[in-house]
Every structure is written in C-alpha cells, then in structure tokens.
C-alpha cells in the first residue's frame, strides 16, 4: 500500500531562521514522485517543490529544498530564511501511476 | 486556463438532503481526484479517474457517496442522504499525467456543512 507519514503535527520557527519538516513514505514502485504542498489560511493548495525518485540530486526552489533519502524512504523539506508568509499547513505527498496520496500535514507557524 | 473550478464554494444543507459538488478540471489533464479534508483525518483521497474512468474508489466512505465523470471537462461528487459527519472541505484536483510528473492542481474547495 502507498502511505505517507508526517510525524510533526505542529512546528514553529522564528522569522529568518531555518526549519525542517519531516516526511516518510512507503511504496512498492521504483519510479514515483514526491511533493510538498502548502495550504495557507486561504485554503488554496500550492505546490512548493517536487522530486522525481529516479533523480539523486535533491530538488531546490529558492528558499525551499528537500533532503531525499531514497533507501530510507524519507523526504524532508527545509525552509531557509523563514518568512511570515510561510505560515501555513504543509503536506507531503507521493504519486506513482497517477495515484496521489497525502500525509496528515504539519502546521507551521513563523513567529516575528 | 482558469485552473480547476469547483462549485459551489460553500454549501449548507440539512441532514438527509442530497448534495452535489461539481468540478471542472484543467483542459488536457488526464487525471481527476476528489479529496475530503477534515481536522481529524486530514486529506483523504475519495476517488480518482483516469481519462474519465474511475480507477480507485476505495476511499469512498460508504454507499451514500457516488462520483461520476461523464466527460473530460466535468465531474460530480454526490452525497445522498447527507449526514452531519459529512461536513468537511471537499477538493477536486487534476493532473496532466506521467509526462509531467503528476503535479496536481487544486480547485478552491467546497466547504460543506450538514446541519
């Protein structure tokens, strides 16, 4: 079965500091994709970053980067120089053969 | 493209009534998903379609829920009869498929309240 687990229900970080959100997943597929989505209070789901499992290099998007450990099935998100606008719920997700499954989410609060 | 369009944005209904949620995916996307979001369960996948065909409906909670995709540009999620425990935000999402790594585009969601 395809599962995604986020073990941190809530986290907080001071503005300008760095925070890491954890995610583990389980899949029997060899080729799959991993994602981090952000859901601010507006409720809109926004793609933050994407990683293709067959690529060893960790994906980066400006202040957002991932630590992809394929053997450990771990996919953490690092947010550098945290900004107040980063306050949101963050969802980790995996997809293979089209089925997109989400973790339970981590609520991140950035404090001024 | 206007993105994934869901209607209505908010729905308040009485227990026992039929509720129909609507979704228009992004043109050209092969996959369509219905999710339910609650505080207790997070984002649950209810059902997804590939090229208008239901692939996996194992997340549909019970027979009161049904979903259809009569064509590539329209899908419905129906609850009949509705119950208070169905209160949640329902999201529709579409993805372009494997060639573009299944990146999902979400609608704004429908907040359903059953009283």
């Amino acid at each position: 079965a395809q599962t995604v687990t986020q073990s941190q229900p809530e986290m907080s970080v001071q503005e300008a500091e760095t925070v890491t959100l954890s995610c583990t997943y389980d899949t029997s597929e060899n080729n799959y994709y991993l994602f981090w989505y952000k859901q601010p209070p507006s409720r809109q789901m926004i793609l933050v970053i994407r990683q293709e499992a067959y690529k060893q290099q960790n994906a980066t998007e400006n202040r957002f980067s991932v630590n992809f450990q394929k053997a450990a099935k771990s996919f953490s998100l690092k947010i550098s120089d945290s900004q107040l606008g980063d306050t949101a719920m963050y969802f980790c997700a995996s997809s293979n053969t089209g089925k997109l499954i989400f973790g339970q989410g981590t609520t991140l609060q950035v404090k001024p | 493209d206007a993105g994934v369009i869901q209607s209505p944005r908010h729905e308040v209904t009485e227990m026992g009534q039929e509720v129909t949620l609507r979704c228009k995916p992004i043109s050209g996307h092969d996959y369509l998903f219905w999710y339910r979001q609650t505080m207790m369960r997070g984002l649950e996948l209810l059902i997804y379609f590939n090229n208008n065909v239901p692939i996996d409906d194992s997340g549909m909670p019970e027979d009161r829920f049904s979903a259809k995709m009569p064509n590539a540009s329209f899908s419905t999620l129906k609850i009949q009869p509705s119950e208070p425990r169905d209160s949640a935000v329902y999201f529709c999402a579409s993805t372009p498929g494997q060639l573009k790594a299944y990146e999902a585009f979400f609608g704004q969601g429908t907040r359903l309240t059953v009283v």
Side-chain angles (χ1 to χ4, degrees):
Chain A
Q2 184 181 350
T3 60
V4 178
T5 302
Q6 294 177 248
S7 58
Q8 305 153 313
E10 296 181 355
M11 294 191 71
S12 64
V13 63
Q14 291 296 131
E15 194 176 8
E17 294 188 348
T18 296
V19 64
T20 299
L21 309 183
S22 301
C23 173
T24 58
Y25 62 93
D26 193 14
T27 178
S28 57
E29 300 291 327
N30 288 323
N31 189 22
Y32 52 91
Y33 302 87
L34 300 166
F35 308 87
W36 279 96
Y37 281 85
K38 170 184 177 180
Q39 186 181 41
S42 67
R43 203 168 80 197
Q44 181 66 49
M45 294 287 284
I46 303 165
L47 178 67
V48 174
I49 199 165
R50 174 178 64 209
Q51 175 79 40
E52 297 170 50
Y54 63 87
K55 289 187 177 180
Q56 293 185 338
Q57 186 174 5
N58 289 325
T60 61
E61 285 289 341
N62 301 312
R63 298 182 295 108
F64 298 88
S65 61
V66 299
N67 184 3
F68 174 46
Q69 302 290 327
K70 190 171 184 178
K73 295 185 177 176
S74 170
F75 183 61
S76 61
L77 174 70
K78 185 171 81 172
I79 305 174
S80 304
D81 186 24
S82 297
Q83 300 176 0
L84 296 178
D86 295 334
T87 292
M89 181 168 280
Y90 288 81
F91 290 94
C92 178
S94 75
S95 176
N96 61 71
T97 63
K99 187 171 182 177
L100 185 61
I101 298 295
F102 286 84
Q104 305 93 317
T106 297
T107 300
L108 176 67
Q109 177 75 42
V110 180
K111 299 179 178 179
Chain B
D1 201 316
V4 176
I5 300 172
Q6 289 187 247
S7 64
R9 288 292 307 278
H10 305 274
E11 177 81 29
V12 181
T13 190
E14 291 185 347
M15 182 173 63
Q17 297 297 307
E18 177 180 298
V19 176
T20 299
L21 311 181
R22 297 173 175 79
C23 176
K24 176 179 168 53
I26 293 174
S27 176
H29 281 195
D30 296 333
Y31 291 82
L32 183 139
F33 302 81
W34 282 101
Y35 292 92
R36 177 172 68 177
Q37 185 177 24
T38 61
M39 290 290 291
M40 292 296 293
R41 295 177 176 269
L43 266 170
E44 298 175 275
L45 176 62
L46 300 178
I47 185 171
Y48 78 101
F49 297 83
N50 179 209
N51 293 323
N52 312 339
V53 176
I55 303 301
D56 185 346
D57 65 355
S58 60
M60 297 286 262
E62 47 197 278
D63 292 345
R64 298 184 298 106
F65 287 69
S66 63
K68 294 182 180 180
M69 192 165 186
N71 57 62
S73 59
F74 184 64
S75 177
T76 60
L77 178 67
K78 185 178 294 186
I79 308 173
Q80 166 64 19
S82 58
E83 297 182 3
R85 60 193 169 122
D86 301 331
S87 296
V89 178
Y90 291 81
F91 283 101
C92 175
S94 68
T95 80
Q98 187 168 8
L99 291 179
K100 294 189 178 181
Y102 303 113
E103 177 184 335
F105 294 80
F106 282 77
Q108 292 279 70
T110 295
R111 180 176 294 279
L112 173 65
T113 304
V114 183
V115 298

